[in-house]
Amino acid sequence: MGTSLQKSGFYLLKLHDALSKAAFMLGSGALAVIVASFAYEVVMRYFFNAPTRWASDLVSFLLLSSVFLAAPWLTREGGHVSITLLPDLLPAKWSRRVVSAGFLVATVVCLWAGWIIAGEVRILFQRGTMTLSAVPAPKWWFTALILFGFVNSPFYFLRLAFGIQPDTTTEEAGNA
């Protein structure tokens, strides 16, 4: 029974990793589109005197998307901001405890923010609120991306807090 439960947990972690990596790749693609649209805007504005109406809005939406799509994977990789003054001054045993406590606090804060954002997504969806932009889009789409980042990152904070390290052996073997 325990082995079956462990396998299920392993597959859930792998599924979460796959979802987060796919979101990270989408976020990276959004950054590429940002660069391309800015380049297009510059060419159109300064060489053809025909600025676009949509480029600035697109960049804003894609920047928001890239941040919250990439957040869970960056949390997994330890790419979040960390101030390590206190843990660096403590003995190793206490340092691990302080860092783990920080990860647990981050988990609670992210889940709390996710709860609030989920309510906002529901309200925006029910009201049909649109963005105030040259090309209006449903506002809940973008708020849902914020929700994605705030709901998925805490699972990595929990894994970090309890020392459940991501399995990199299969990734390293695939890259060799």
Side-chain angles (χ1 to χ4, degrees):
M1 173 84 173
T3 307
S4 173
L5 188 59
Q6 286 175 334
K7 281 186 178 180
S8 297
F10 173 77
Y11 289 122
L12 282 175
L13 293 177
K14 286 297 210 182
L15 179 64
H16 186 237
D17 286 345
L19 173 67
S20 297
K21 188 165 189 177
F24 179 79
M25 299 304 279
L26 283 172
S28 299
L31 289 177
V33 174
I34 286 172
V35 170
S37 65
F38 263 141
Y40 181 78
E41 169 65 17
V42 167
V43 168
M44 294 304 292
R45 178 179 300 272
Y46 295 108
F47 293 106
F48 297 107
N49 198 25
T52 63
R53 291 180 16 167
W54 51 266
S56 179
D57 292 333
L58 179 67
V59 167
S60 297
F61 298 146
L62 289 177
L63 187 57
L64 177 141
S65 301
S66 68
V67 167
F68 288 99
L69 286 170
W73 188 258
L74 292 174
T75 302
R76 175 191 190 271
E77 296 296 314
H80 52 277
V81 173
S82 64
I83 301 169
T84 62
L85 179 64
L86 181 61
D88 291 345
L89 294 174
L90 295 173
K93 177 181 176 181
W94 284 100
S95 177
R96 282 191 302 276
R97 289 179 180 172
V98 167
V99 170
S100 291
F103 287 142
L104 291 174
V105 169
T107 299
V108 170
V109 169
C110 285
L111 289 173
W112 175 63
W115 177 262
I116 293 168
I117 295 164
E120 189 63 22
V121 170
R122 182 182 54 79
I123 290 168
L124 291 170
F125 179 78
Q126 288 174 340
R127 291 183 182 167
T129 307
M130 303 293 277
T131 60
L132 296 173
S133 55
V135 180
K139 216 174 198 181
W140 72 268
W141 291 355
F142 304 105
T143 311
L145 289 172
I146 297 170
L147 178 62
F148 174 85
F150 273 106
V151 168
N152 282 292
S153 294
F155 294 108
Y156 288 115
F157 283 131
L158 279 175
R159 288 166 72 173
L160 292 166
F162 293 107
I164 304 169
Q165 298 302 323
D167 180 24
T168 57
T169 55
T170 54
E171 292 174 14
E172 291 170 359
N175 292 333

